[in-house]
Amino acid sequence: MKNSIGCFSNAAKYGYNNINNFKSSNFDYSSVSFGRREKPVIDDYDRYMIQKVKQGTLMPADVNQWYNTEYNKIRKVNLNNIVQNPYLQNVIDYPQVRGINIENQGGWKYRSAENFFSEKDRASLNVINHPGLINELDYFMKTGQYNYCGFPYKVNNLSKFYYKTYADASRWYIREDPVSLYFNDKLNDETYSALAQITSKYRNNALHNAEGEKTDWFKKEQSPDKSMIIPLIQDAQKVNNTLAEFIYRKSYNSANGNYVLSSGVYEAFSNIINKIKKEKSHFF
């Protein structure tokens, strides 16, 4: 398995000496490009929706279907012949590291070492379905300690974080980033480097927006906030009011006045707006 930043970290401490033991002899992981994505292109479905924009017949249900289709192009991976790891579900359900809290929410398990769920930075991981990954992340999240190349390390200025995985291990490969990390503050370089080392041997393939980068399976992503979402809504207003209204209703929380979108949903809406703009000269 490709490793982009050097030697494998020491998984023996966590009871997983050879990650290749968890691969099936009947399926070649190396032949699959998990999460590789072409740059957004306009396909026949997009043209159908853009025609509705042109005719002024685009409805909220159309926008909902369109953005979900675009989101699936960004995040999801459609593979039928995927090997399930028989040990993964047990580790997802029952932490091997003491002091790890688990909260079930929307089909995900959120894992944390502290009771906070704020978010300043986030990162995605395109990684294989291995229980050692979860154990190592739990241990690092709790202690700031990890092993790499057989040597112990400790991050003193740890960017505290929590992370999520699918609650059901069988859904691990539905999307290119089955693990997402959320940081209570800005992700500093020391923590980033440590996480890259910890996850390097579990690398699956490049994330769609990280190809060619040194840590292409591990990507920091900006969490969209009000300063990003309001301009997105204003940009949408220039091409279609129904689209703009839909983004506003999806992002605005009337209870606290905040605007919130996930990075994947933000990217999906941005792609749709850009596709409409690209075709603008043909019908506006």
Side-chain angles (χ1 to χ4, degrees):
M1 181 172 291
K2 177 183 175 182
N3 186 318
S4 300
I5 61 172
C7 67
F8 286 163
S9 61
N10 180 12
K13 175 177 179 180
Y14 305 94
Y16 304 99
N17 296 310
N18 185 358
I19 65 172
N20 292 311
N21 290 338
F22 291 90
K23 291 184 180 181
S24 166
S25 59
N26 298 320
F27 189 79
D28 180 10
Y29 280 80
S30 65
S31 67
V32 178
S33 292
F34 296 97
R36 290 193 180 276
R37 297 288 184 273
E38 301 295 331
K39 294 186 183 303
V41 295
I42 298 175
D43 58 24
D44 289 340
Y45 178 76
D46 293 319
R47 292 187 184 93
Y48 169 73
M49 288 298 186
I50 291 171
Q51 184 67 17
K52 288 195 170 194
V53 174
K54 176 182 177 180
Q55 295 170 345
T57 59
L58 189 73
M59 303 298 290
D62 297 322
V63 178
N64 185 62
Q65 186 180 46
W66 196 359
Y67 107 80
N68 273 296
T69 300
E70 190 66 32
Y71 179 84
N72 289 344
K73 293 176 185 177
I74 295 167
R75 290 291 192 212
K76 298 208 172 183
V77 178
N78 296 314
L79 290 169
N80 296 319
N81 190 13
I82 281 297
V83 179
Q84 299 304 326
N85 190 314
Y87 303 97
L88 183 63
Q89 189 67 58
N90 185 65
V91 176
I92 289 175
D93 291 336
Y94 305 104
Q96 307 298 300
V97 177
R98 288 185 178 181
I100 298 300
N101 307 307
I102 295 180
E103 179 174 326
N104 293 291
Q105 190 177 113
W108 298 90
K109 282 190 183 287
Y110 288 80
R111 309 171 77 87
S112 65
E114 298 184 24
N115 292 320
F116 60 78
F117 274 78
S118 61
E119 176 189 341
K120 294 291 180 63
D121 270 343
R122 76 178 301 277
S124 296
L125 287 168
N126 190 339
V127 284
I128 63 171
N129 56 345
H130 195 279
L133 169 71
I134 294 178
N135 283 338
E136 291 195 56
L137 285 176
D138 282 354
Y139 185 73
F140 179 65
M141 179 173 62
K142 179 68 177 177
T143 67
Q145 300 176 37
Y146 68 102
N147 278 261
Y148 184 66
C149 297
F151 295 96
Y153 294 90
K154 180 174 176 60
V155 174
N156 293 314
N157 186 26
L158 179 69
S159 296
K160 294 182 179 181
F161 67 96
Y162 64 95
Y163 70 101
K164 72 178 183 182
T165 71
Y166 274 115
D168 183 350
S170 67
R171 296 173 62 82
W172 190 268
Y173 283 124
I174 284 180
R175 54 189 277 166
E176 68 165 6
D177 58 339
V179 178
S180 297
L181 300 94
Y182 302 91
F183 298 87
N184 198 38
D185 209 334
K186 293 295 183 182
L187 171 57
N188 62 41
D189 292 341
E190 187 179 11
T191 304
Y192 187 95
S193 296
L195 285 166
Q197 291 174 340
I198 291 167
T199 60
S200 60
K201 72 173 177 292
Y202 302 108
R203 178 192 183 275
N204 194 352
N205 216 320
L207 290 160
H208 80 281
N209 57 355
E211 289 185 340
E213 298 184 14
K214 188 175 182 181
T215 58
D216 59 6
W217 72 96
F218 173 42
K219 176 75 173 180
K220 176 181 173 182
E221 296 180 325
Q222 187 172 5
S223 295
D225 57 16
K226 184 176 180 179
S227 67
M228 296 174 61
I229 295 171
I230 288 180
L232 181 74
I233 295 170
Q234 293 170 339
D235 209 17
Q237 285 178 319
K238 297 174 184 177
V239 295
N240 184 266
N241 286 331
T242 301
L243 174 60
E245 178 70 15
F246 188 93
I247 298 172
Y248 169 77
R249 291 184 179 277
K250 186 167 184 62
S251 62
Y252 182 66
N253 185 334
S254 59
N256 56 27
N258 288 339
Y259 289 78
V260 178
L261 289 175
S262 73
S263 58
V265 171
Y266 180 91
E267 184 177 350
F269 283 130
S270 295
N271 287 351
I272 288 172
I273 293 168
N274 289 332
K275 287 177 180 182
I276 296 173
K277 285 181 175 180
K278 188 174 181 180
E279 294 290 293
K280 184 176 180 180
S281 61
H282 296 294
F283 57 80
F284 282 92

